[in-house]
Amino acid sequence: VQLQASGGGLVQAGGSLRLSCAASGRTFSSYNMGWFRQAPGTEREFVAAISRNSGNTYYTSSVKGRFTISRDNAKNTVYLQMNSLKPEDTAVYYCAADMVLTTSPRAYDYWGQGTLVTVSS
């Protein structure tokens, strides 16, 4: 499966952005999807994940209540709605796909190219 992330940009603290990740290739609905982020000088970290049928979602504690992951299998797209953004959310955001639902970036086989989110204070 090929993944294309988009929707990043520059936003002020307290603002919102919605990231999208469009999938092509193999059957999108067969994959669990995750969002990860990587700030300069840090390791890639888990942000959110969603199961194939949207029945299960997971979030890292720092984004709970602010971010929402969702997917539309008819459109082969997964989303990350980000509200109440903080400067510490600044990072390159990546979407990823795998047959296993996990929070570990090492487990994901397929990755998008990343989209930069910058939150100014």
Side-chain angles (χ1 to χ4, degrees):
V1 61
Q2 292 80 42
L3 303 174
Q4 180 77 31
S6 62
L10 174 63
V11 63
Q12 288 188 332
S16 299
L17 281 175
R18 188 175 82 155
L19 305 184
S20 299
C21 176
S24 60
R26 297 186 179 182
T27 305
F28 175 71
S29 59
S30 299
Y31 292 90
N32 301 292
M33 299 297 297
W35 284 99
F36 296 81
R37 65 187 180 187
Q38 188 168 18
T42 69
E43 293 187 353
R44 193 167 299 187
E45 66 171 356
F46 169 76
V47 176
I50 188 167
S51 60
R52 296 179 183 87
N53 62 358
S54 303
N56 293 290
T57 56
Y58 302 92
Y59 298 92
T60 192
S61 58
S62 63
V63 308
K64 280 182 181 177
R66 300 189 298 122
F67 291 11
T68 302
I69 188 171
S70 62
R71 66 189 295 164
D72 185 337
N73 286 344
K75 295 183 178 180
N76 288 357
T77 303
V78 62
Y79 304 98
L80 186 67
Q81 178 66 44
M82 306 186 295
N83 299 328
S84 302
L85 283 160
K86 304 175 181 180
E88 51 263 43
D89 295 317
T90 295
V92 177
Y93 283 71
Y94 298 89
C95 58
D98 201 77
M99 300 301 289
V100 177
L101 183 61
T102 176
T103 63
S104 172
R106 294 182 178 84
Y108 282 77
D109 287 335
Y110 303 99
W111 290 86
Q113 85 290 0
T115 184
L116 176 62
V117 172
T118 304
V119 184
S120 63
S121 58

